[in-house]
Amino acid sequence: MASLDGSIGRVKVALRIVGDDVDPKALTARLGLRPTFAARKGEEVWSRDQSLTQRHGVWSYSLTEKAESGAELDDALTHLLSRLPADESLWADLASRYEVGIFCGLYLTTENQGTDLRASTLLALAARHLTLSLDIYAAE
């Protein structure tokens, strides 16, 4: 689905599950997917060459989409959602226990770029109780 303003240069999407009692091994088993990052609350993790104490438990799975002609947010979300279970009761349970959402990083290559989301993608996010967060990075 192309935008009238031109495709975005790069799109990063990540499922994030955050909560004080996040158990990364249990979430990995339930989702059937190995996280790109996971840590329990209080665990020491390395970030940008420094040790940090994890303030909350987190389980995250991320994808980066970069096509030669640009990237589309809807395509990246559809790709991510295709890897996740569709079981609505699983997502209702997760949403009742944790903060569950999709983080999107949109990296623009020009001043005026945009993107669209299909109704089917929005419905798939809603069925999984996923909050959609957007960080938009201006062209340099």
Side-chain angles (χ1 to χ4, degrees), residues 2-49:
S3 166
L4 296 176
D5 297 322
S7 298
I8 294 169
R10 182 168 57 104
V11 175
K12 180 178 181 178
V13 294
L15 168 65
R16 291 184 180 172
I17 302 174
V18 178
D20 287 344
D21 64 343
V22 162
D23 178 349
K25 287 183 182 178
L27 285 174
T28 299
R30 287 187 79 186
L31 295 170
L33 200 62
R34 192 174 253 163
T36 51
F37 177 79
R40 290 180 174 271
K41 179 180 178 177
E43 189 175 329
E44 293 293 319
V45 296
W46 283 90
S47 176
R48 296 186 180 110
D49 296 327

Side-chain angles (χ1 to χ4, degrees), residues 52-125:
L52 303 171
T53 301
Q54 200 60 41
R55 293 186 314 180
H56 304 284
V58 65
W59 187 101
S60 179
Y61 180 79
S62 49
L63 297 172
T64 301
E65 299 288 327
K66 183 177 183 178
E68 288 182 21
S69 62
E72 293 296 339
L73 178 59
D74 193 88
D75 293 338
L77 289 170
T78 300
H79 187 192
L80 176 62
L81 291 169
S82 73
R83 295 173 176 228
L84 303 176
D87 180 359
E88 291 184 24
S89 63
L90 165 70
W91 293 103
D93 179 56
L94 293 175
S96 73
R97 300 173 60 199
Y98 308 113
E99 291 179 36
V100 182
I102 301 289
F103 164 83
C104 304
L106 307 176
Y107 300 84
L108 307 182
T109 55
T110 64
E111 287 182 14
N112 185 19
Q113 291 178 295
T115 193
D116 301 305
L117 295 178
R118 293 181 194 99
S120 59
T121 303
L122 295 170
L123 287 169
L125 292 168

